[in-house]
Amino acid sequence: MRGLRKKRRLQVIAAAVTLLALATVLIGYAARDGIQFFRNPSQIVKNQDIRDGVPFRLGGLVEEGSLIVHDLGVRFQVTDGSHRIPVTFMGILPDLFREGQGVVALGTLDSGTFVATEILAKHDENYMPKEVIESLREEGVYRPAN
């Protein structure tokens, strides 16, 4: 009787460990497509292994004088002070989006042009996404607001 309980307990523990491992693998597999890494223009230019069609977030400053609004959407350039990446976006821009301000765009690279599916802009006078600030600091072009 005792041997049967011990054997049953080991079977339950083994089944639980197996199910936990399977659940971890399935969650990791499902999340791999949903993870979008942040990159600045310099990282994209220097890192040539970024494949077209792989989603990621592009962050930096909207370059002064680069914003072009047309019937099919908008075109602008995101810069970190060293390099710039052209961006196209079809949709409605956030109200606070403007040249010279911080921006994070979600989308994919297509032959050197970033095709954005979503644009995120700052929400008040002093806010800039943390990742953009760190990226600009690394490039030596960050200027605090006050």
Side-chain angles (χ1 to χ4, degrees):
M1 187 85 158
R2 278 198 162 146
L4 185 59
R5 268 197 257 162
K6 191 174 186 178
K7 185 176 180 181
R8 178 57 88 189
R9 190 178 312 144
L10 286 175
Q11 287 174 342
V12 169
I13 291 171
V17 169
T18 303
L19 288 175
L20 182 61
L22 180 65
T24 303
V25 168
L26 290 174
I27 289 170
Y29 183 75
R32 71 180 168 79
D33 291 334
I35 297 172
Q36 296 176 340
F37 296 101
F38 175 83
R39 302 250 180 353
N40 65 29
S42 291
Q43 290 171 327
I44 293 170
V45 170
K46 293 174 187 172
N47 190 2
Q48 299 299 326
D49 66 343
I50 297 174
R51 298 186 320 256
D52 287 357
V54 176
F56 65 95
R57 297 183 302 160
L58 169 67
L61 300 174
V62 178
E63 188 172 45
E64 295 283 343
S66 70
L67 182 62
I68 300 169
V69 180
H70 49 80
D71 293 341
L72 300 175
V74 296
R75 293 182 60 85
F76 58 93
Q77 295 203 14
V78 173
T79 183
D80 59 5
S82 300
H83 296 90
R84 62 184 57 86
I85 298 291
V87 177
T88 61
F89 176 67
M90 294 177 58
I92 299 172
L93 290 170
D95 291 336
L96 298 173
F97 178 88
R98 65 184 90 115
E99 294 177 343
Q101 299 297 325
V103 66
V104 174
L106 288 82
T108 60
L109 203 57
D110 183 19
S111 301
T113 299
F114 189 80
V115 180
T117 56
E118 185 176 354
I119 301 288
L120 307 172
K122 65 181 191 125
H123 62 76
D124 72 299
E125 283 302 311
N126 299 316
Y127 176 77
M128 187 180 299
K130 180 180 177 185
E131 294 124 336
V132 173
I133 291 173
E134 290 171 2
S135 168
L136 294 172
R137 276 194 182 130
E138 287 176 12
E139 295 299 320
V141 295
Y142 175 69
R143 289 171 294 207
N146 281 333

